[in-house]
Amino acid sequence: MSRKPDSALPPYFNIDPARAASKLGDTVTTERFAKAAAFCGRGRDDLAKRGYSPDGRKHLRRFSMWEVTRYLLPVASAHLRRVLKAHPELPQGEGDANSRSFTLEEVLALRDYFDREGSAAKEYRPWRPEGLPAKICAVTNFKGGSGKTTTCAHLAMAAALDGYRVLVLDLDSQASMTSLLGGQVQDEWQTVFPLIARDYARAVTAENELRAARGETALPLDETLTEALTVSSRNLIQKTHWPNIDLIGAQLNLYWAEFQIPVWRMGLKTWALWDALRNFLTEDGLLDEYDIVFLDTPPALGYLTINSLAAADILLVPLGASFLEFDSTGRFFDMLYSTFASIEDGENAQRRIAGLPEMRFEWDVVRAIITRFDANQQTDLANVIQAYFGDFMTAYRQEFTALVGQAGEQINGIYEADYREFNRDTYLRGRDAFDRTYAEFKELLLGTWWRDDQERKAV
């Protein structure tokens, strides 16, 4: 039997230890991490600017007449031209009659006009029942790379194009969503952190009033908590380059909240830490000001994620059609059960003693979404996942599209990408993938609002 020549051996054979050692460089100290972070920071800024305008900020592109009449308004292009000619006071766009383009602000103004003057049989503005609060949607999974931020960002953009007023909360200290939306966050005091601190400080203040009445020692309110009492969410909300998407951004120091929240809870065990996020959304009137609040959560089931999930009406759980992601997502649901059932058990034990009604967590709807789907390779496994998750799974599987990667090179979502810069079939296929995802989400959204509206009318 002849022996295979060395050139046919796998590359992990015959590695020379001395040569390997010569490639290592000096041993690494902690200072080297700071240097690497500085290099990455400069590189990140450089890459981000490629998707920004010369002024260093992101700007939303204009939308062509073809896009406006195909995707944004249920109006034929010829009819829109006639309306614009007859009503010079309406936004006229830019360019000549055959090649006009419009800003999204102009499209929103046209929506309002057609909603007042157009056909009663057409939907020019998306439905939301009057008098009901915004819906909060958390996009969550503790498996990194599941498409969580991409899905959340594109749902927010699609909802904005549809005419909804959107608020996005970035709760992930990696701040990918903040980068996509062009946010600028200097420190943790420009994130949700001071709003969670404010909730705790208010709970301490209320507890101290009770203690004063009983002649007991007050709990301390340190400088951080005292300052947090003066914070308003409206001072933290940033306008983005989308006229109807606002942002509370994230930054690396937001991760500090994961350590501080349990310390606060130990200081005041009656503080319902899981309610902090929803409390400020409600108390500051944000659920009346916006139609949809999207929460982009960290890839871990920590205290920020618990806050997000407890605040949410709708949970979306993206996962890829692979065994490992299916397995991880199943464990994620198991951890959700353990975490929230444990909170319910602990709280209700105290409530029964005090003669108070028991509490429980409820969500309007929960759906898992298969992302980055390749029908040629993953159909069989996706069918298995669908069978096991049943009604927890959306019907549409979000197909993998090269458009996401190409748009991402310019720090953009596909709804921000100019279709004229892509192969037409690539653009249409990629756009359709996210349009169909948004359509399923919108069906969930309208269904939950309608159900709430029926319950309200029945009272």
Side-chain angles (χ1 to χ4, degrees):
M1 180 197 290
S2 62
R3 187 179 171 208
K4 288 199 290 185
D6 287 350
S7 61
L9 290 173
Y12 48 81
F13 277 83
N14 299 328
I15 295 175
D16 178 48
R19 188 160 177 251
S22 70
K23 296 181 178 181
L24 294 179
D26 296 333
T27 56
V28 178
T29 63
T30 53
E31 288 80 6
R32 184 65 180 83
F33 294 131
K35 187 176 180 180
F39 281 139
C40 287
R42 287 199 290 272
R44 181 176 62 246
D45 292 342
D46 178 57
L47 289 170
K49 287 173 183 173
R50 297 184 188 184
Y52 292 7
S53 296
D55 64 2
R57 300 189 66 82
K58 294 193 77 171
H59 295 273
L60 189 60
R61 66 179 178 86
R62 304 179 71 88
F63 296 87
S64 70
M65 177 73 79
W66 173 76
E67 288 178 285
V68 170
T69 55
R70 173 171 178 141
Y71 291 117
L72 306 183
L73 291 174
V75 177
S77 57
H79 179 59
L80 179 55
R81 290 190 186 96
R82 287 193 296 270
V83 168
L84 294 178
K85 185 176 180 180
H87 296 276
E89 73 280 5
L90 291 176
Q92 298 295 308
E94 189 175 89
D96 61 40
N98 295 318
S99 60
R100 296 181 203 247
S101 63
F102 300 83
T103 65
L104 186 54
E105 290 92 338
E106 291 173 328
V107 173
L108 293 172
L110 292 173
R111 275 189 188 281
D112 290 339
Y113 168 78
F114 282 107
D115 188 54
R116 293 191 309 269
E117 307 294 338
S119 168
K122 292 186 177 181
E123 181 186 274
Y124 299 105
R125 296 183 65 181
W127 184 72
R128 172 186 174 177
E130 187 176 349
L132 287 182
K135 287 295 181 180
I136 304 171
C137 175
V139 184
T140 184
N141 200 333
F142 64 24
K143 180 78 170 66
S146 62
K148 176 176 59 64
T149 298
T150 301
T151 299
C152 188
H154 284 98
L155 286 174
M157 293 175 187
L161 290 176
D162 199 19
Y164 284 120
R165 299 162 299 170
V166 176
L167 175 64
V168 176
L169 271 57
D170 190 352
L171 294 128
D172 186 349
S173 58
Q174 296 176 84
S176 298
M177 178 68 80
T178 302
S179 294
L180 271 172
L181 293 176
Q184 302 292 323
V185 180
Q186 299 304 315
D187 57 38
E188 68 274 15
W189 281 88
Q190 295 178 0
T191 71
V192 298
F193 171 76
L195 297 171
I196 295 174
R198 187 186 76 180
D199 192 76
Y200 174 70
R202 288 178 174 177
V204 170
T205 300
E207 173 66 18
N208 283 341
E209 290 175 359
L210 295 175
R211 290 186 173 217
R214 297 194 297 261
E216 298 174 358
T217 303
L219 294 174
L221 272 177
D222 61 22
E223 184 178 347
T224 295
L225 296 174
T226 302
E227 185 175 353
L229 285 170
T230 68
V231 171
S232 168
S233 61
R234 298 182 187 282
N235 297 332
L236 304 177
I237 293 172
Q238 302 183 40
K239 296 294 181 183
T240 72
H241 56 296
W242 287 75
N244 50 346
I245 299 180
D246 292 344
L247 168 73
I248 297 181
Q251 190 256 5
L252 185 61
N253 290 349
L254 176 59
Y255 194 69
W256 182 47
E258 298 290 357
F259 302 96
Q260 187 59 59
I261 289 173
V263 173
W264 287 335
R265 170 72 173 180
M266 290 295 293
L268 181 59
K269 288 184 168 38
T270 57
W271 176 50
L273 65 89
W274 47 86
D275 286 338
L277 201 61
R278 185 156 196 128
N279 283 347
F280 83 73
L281 289 170
T282 303
E283 292 165 3
D284 293 2
L286 301 181
L287 298 183
D288 298 319
E289 186 170 333
Y290 297 93
D291 299 307
I292 312 170
V293 179
F294 285 104
L295 310 178
D296 187 35
T297 66
L301 191 54
Y303 291 101
L304 290 170
T305 302
I306 289 171
N307 252 281
S308 302
L309 301 184
D313 303 299
I314 299 171
L315 296 187
L316 298 181
V317 184
L319 74 153
S322 73
F323 168 77
L324 291 178
E325 295 203 43
F326 176 47
D327 180 51
S328 174
T329 302
R331 296 176 194 277
F332 177 65
F333 283 130
D334 189 36
M335 287 187 67
L336 290 188
Y337 165 72
S338 299
T339 300
F340 286 101
S342 175
I343 293 172
E344 288 174 344
D345 289 345
E347 288 296 297
N348 288 332
Q350 297 300 316
R351 285 169 174 260
R352 283 191 290 270
I353 293 171
L356 298 173
E358 295 189 2
M359 60 88 74
R360 67 173 181 174
F361 295 98
E362 280 190 333
W363 293 269
D364 287 335
V365 64
V366 178
R367 290 290 185 273
I369 305 173
I370 290 182
T371 60
R372 311 180 321 282
F373 177 63
D374 182 347
N376 294 324
Q377 303 287 331
Q378 298 177 320
T379 296
D380 288 345
L381 184 52
N383 288 340
V384 171
I385 294 172
Q386 186 94 38
Y388 279 105
F389 276 150
D391 63 0
F392 252 33
M393 179 71 69
T394 58
Y396 176 64
R397 298 161 185 175
Q398 188 183 99
E399 294 184 10
F400 173 80
T401 169
L403 186 63
V404 173
Q406 293 176 52
E409 290 176 6
Q410 269 135 36
I411 328 295
N412 286 327
I414 64 164
Y415 291 114
E416 298 173 303
D418 191 328
Y419 66 94
R420 288 160 291 204
E421 296 178 1
F422 300 90
N423 172 280
R424 188 177 183 88
D425 288 340
T426 300
Y427 179 83
L428 292 174
R429 188 165 56 251
R431 171 81 191 234
D432 181 66
F434 284 93
D435 281 351
R436 292 177 68 181
T437 299
Y438 174 65
E440 278 210 78
F441 165 75
K442 186 177 179 181
E443 187 173 35
L444 298 175
L445 175 72
L446 299 191
T448 58
W449 263 330
W450 186 88
R451 187 169 61 190
D452 291 348
D453 197 35
Q454 297 303 302
E455 291 175 355
R456 179 179 61 174
K457 292 174 180 177
V459 174

